[in-house]
Amino acid sequence: MQFHIQTDSEIPVSKQLYDQMLFAIASRQFSPGHRLPSTRQLAMQTGLHRNTIGKVYSQLEGTGLVESVPGSGIYVKSLGHESNHLLADSQIDPNLSAIDLVSQSLNTLLAQGYSLTQSRELFLTEIDWRWRCSARVFVTVPRADSGAGELMLQELQQSLGIPVQLVTLDKLASQLAQSLAATVVTSRYHIGVVEATLASSDVVTRSIRVIPVDIQDYEQELALVKTLPKNSYVGIVSLSAGILAVAEMMVHSMRGDDLLVMACQTKDTYKLNATIRRAHTIVSDKASLNIVHQAIEAAGDDLMRIPQVVESETYIGLKSINLLKRELGLI
């Protein structure tokens, strides 16, 4: 991933780099186990001072998403919730066939002193626990970005075909206290604060499974931004205030003052109408697309030009959806 920094911007360069790093991790461009570029490498790429980059890396460590390995570097942390974490954390070859994987796992348990009966119980207990957790699925995000939760909810319900409930983070512990078992789904952006919330609550965490999903890398949308004419207006419309903030930062870091950006949530009717009147191009998430088209149609002849409306990809990555389906026993 190439990082773009506008050194003459009012936005601190450290924040520009931090947001882009966070996006790379959340969209799995930097997957668990990935070694972050050294401060020297990143300084050469961005022109930033190594001390500035070091402070950004310290901030990322504070989120719990990366960890420093002395003498080696800084790595994206495996949170222990990825579907393949058992493979990643052991010496099992991921290229083995299913029967060989089971056989090698069993051999490992036997070598550690477990009996066949105990090993069988361990397998059955794990499978039974996952089935029970799959009976109730919650999506959670901080209340300040409930729009992201609504977006995730719509996409998951459509993709999974099962009931999914949205619970803001401030109410998650009380909701889970009423559940014997559940699966909690959140964006990788918020996994740290979700785990901290559960750890500080009275919820019996052994009956709760937390799974982070990866967001899209928005490669097509970012490629479009690179091609837009200088001094043109680009509108960004989404249910999520968080998505809009990140999108604005990414566009600014790539193009600086070359583009004029107008970002709004669909519930802000005044700003949405201003956006469709001024923007040459509007990028909208799927959930907001119909509202954008309705606003354009309602404006009718008042528009000097009809903006080009681009439907963005789904918020949650397809691979992440498929992994979640397997975790929930849906495929």
Side-chain angles (χ1 to χ4, degrees):
M1 179 176 177
Q2 293 294 314
F3 297 97
H4 304 275
I5 303 296
Q6 297 291 329
T7 55
D8 57 350
S9 169
E10 294 181 356
I11 302 173
V13 292
S14 59
K15 177 169 175 53
Q16 293 181 52
L17 180 60
Y18 175 81
D19 284 349
Q20 290 180 66
M21 279 280 185
L22 205 56
F23 174 74
I25 295 171
S27 61
R28 214 178 180 85
Q29 295 178 72
F30 287 171
S31 57
H34 180 89
R35 183 180 182 275
L36 300 186
S38 67
T39 56
R40 182 186 297 276
Q41 290 173 319
L42 209 49
M44 292 177 63
Q45 182 188 138
T46 63
L48 300 180
H49 195 281
R50 291 177 65 182
N51 288 344
T52 300
I53 298 169
K55 290 178 182 178
V56 170
Y57 280 1
S58 294
Q59 279 185 280
L60 288 171
E61 282 192 79
T63 67
L65 291 175
V66 303
E67 59 184 344
S68 177
V69 178
S72 180
I74 298 178
Y75 294 81
V76 178
K77 192 174 180 180
S78 176
L79 301 172
H81 302 294
E82 286 78 17
S83 292
N84 62 346
H85 76 275
L86 292 177
L87 299 181
D89 292 343
S90 69
Q91 299 303 311
I92 297 176
D93 184 351
N95 296 317
L96 292 175
S97 67
I99 188 64
D100 287 336
L101 285 172
V102 173
S103 177
Q104 190 163 337
S105 298
L106 181 57
N107 288 338
T108 300
L109 289 172
L110 295 175
Q112 292 179 359
Y114 292 91
S115 67
L116 277 176
T117 300
Q118 290 172 322
S119 299
R120 178 178 181 274
E121 286 301 314
L122 287 171
F123 276 106
L124 292 177
T125 298
E126 177 70 13
I127 292 171
D128 179 64
W129 174 73
R130 293 194 182 201
W131 275 115
R132 285 187 289 109
C133 287
S134 301
R136 298 201 69 182
V137 180
F138 297 101
V139 167
T140 192
V141 294
R143 177 173 290 278
D145 195 17
S146 58
E150 182 62 37
L151 194 57
M152 292 172 64
L153 178 71
Q154 291 186 27
E155 292 183 1
L156 289 178
Q157 285 185 325
Q158 181 177 359
S159 301
L160 303 179
I162 61 173
V164 180
Q165 184 177 346
L166 174 60
V167 180
T168 53
L169 190 55
D170 56 307
K171 295 184 177 179
L172 180 62
S174 60
Q175 181 66 56
L176 292 177
Q178 305 171 33
S179 306
L180 296 177
T183 294
V184 177
V185 180
T186 190
S187 162
R188 198 171 296 277
Y189 270 115
H190 306 307
I191 183 65
V193 68
V194 170
E195 289 193 317
T197 298
L198 294 181
S200 63
S201 71
D202 296 329
V203 174
V204 181
T205 53
R206 59 185 170 84
S207 65
I208 306 299
R209 176 172 52 166
V210 182
I211 300 178
V213 291
D214 304 310
I215 68 170
Q216 288 282 4
D217 58 15
Y218 294 106
E219 181 179 359
Q220 296 179 14
E221 290 81 355
L222 293 175
L224 171 66
V225 167
K226 292 181 180 179
T227 66
L228 295 177
K230 187 175 181 179
N231 295 325
S232 61
Y233 279 86
V234 58
I236 307 172
V237 182
S238 175
L239 293 180
S240 166
I243 292 174
L244 293 175
V246 172
E248 280 190 281
M249 176 63 68
M250 296 293 288
V251 173
H252 177 78
S253 296
M254 290 174 61
R255 296 292 301 268
D257 295 330
D258 282 356
L259 295 179
L260 302 171
V261 181
M262 303 181 69
C264 69
Q265 291 179 270
T266 48
K267 63 183 180 181
D268 189 339
T269 305
Y270 176 82
K271 198 167 184 180
L272 176 61
N273 286 330
T275 299
I276 66 172
R277 281 169 167 76
R278 302 185 69 180
H280 299 86
T281 304
I282 296 176
V283 180
S284 168
D285 62 34
K286 292 180 181 293
S288 306
L289 195 64
N290 285 340
I291 297 176
V292 171
H293 283 304
Q294 289 170 8
I296 292 174
E297 185 177 350
D301 295 336
D302 291 340
L303 295 179
M304 295 180 60
R305 75 178 79 81
I306 304 295
Q308 176 193 10
V309 180
V310 177
E311 179 183 359
S312 72
E313 298 180 78
T314 56
Y315 178 58
I316 305 175
L318 181 59
K319 286 185 178 179
S320 209
I321 289 286
N322 289 333
L323 286 172
L324 186 57
K325 284 182 177 179
R326 283 197 285 272
E327 284 282 355
L328 297 174
L330 300 177
I331 56 176

